[in-house]
């Protein structure tokens, strides 16, 4: 039985890893780790060739960060969001 179906890792595992890392960075990481982590996420996001998948993933990350009132990345720059509650 084949463990990895071609494209499965790229389509499902990589986006899941990016979302998991973004949650960790938002909730637990130090400022130094956040900076490095968001740089890794930016690199991995640029490696996603499916534009629809990349857009959906960016929207999920933005939603996560809005809820947590933290920051988003835009053109390789971290932007602080104002928490509106």
């Amino acid at each position: 039985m084949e463990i990895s179906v071609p494209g499965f890792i790229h389509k499902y595992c990589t986006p899941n890893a990016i979302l998991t890392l973004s949650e960790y960075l938002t909730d637990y990481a130090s400022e130094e780790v956040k900076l490095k982590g968001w740089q890794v996420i930016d690199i991995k996001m640029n490696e996603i060739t499916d534009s629809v998948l990349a857009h959906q993933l960016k929207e999920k990350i933005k939603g996560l960060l809005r809820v947590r009132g933290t920051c988003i990345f835009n053109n390789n720059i971290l932007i602080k969001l104002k928490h509106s509650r």
Side-chain angles (χ1 to χ4, degrees), residues 3-66:
I3 304 275
S4 175
V5 177
F8 182 83
I9 289 174
H10 187 70
K11 188 171 181 179
Y12 297 102
C13 297
T14 299
N16 184 54
I18 290 171
L19 286 173
T20 301
L21 179 57
S22 66
E23 288 178 337
Y24 169 79
L25 294 173
T26 303
D27 293 341
Y28 304 109
S30 67
E31 292 303 315
E32 180 183 353
V33 172
K34 282 182 186 180
L35 181 59
K36 290 178 182 179
W38 286 115
Q39 290 171 345
V40 169
I41 287 173
D42 189 52
I43 291 167
K44 292 300 175 185
M45 289 292 295
N46 289 328
E47 291 176 3
I48 296 175
T49 57
D50 182 338
S51 61
V52 173
L53 179 61
H55 176 74
Q56 290 172 340
L57 188 54
K58 282 183 182 180
E59 291 304 310
K60 286 182 181 185
I61 292 171
K62 287 179 184 179
L64 166 75
L65 297 174
R66 279 191 193 99

Side-chain angles (χ1 to χ4, degrees), residues 63-79:
L64 166 75
L65 297 174
R66 279 191 193 99
V67 167
R68 303 247 190 352
T70 55
C71 55
I72 61 171
F73 56 94
N74 185 5
N75 298 326
N76 302 326
I77 299 171
L78 290 173
I79 300 172

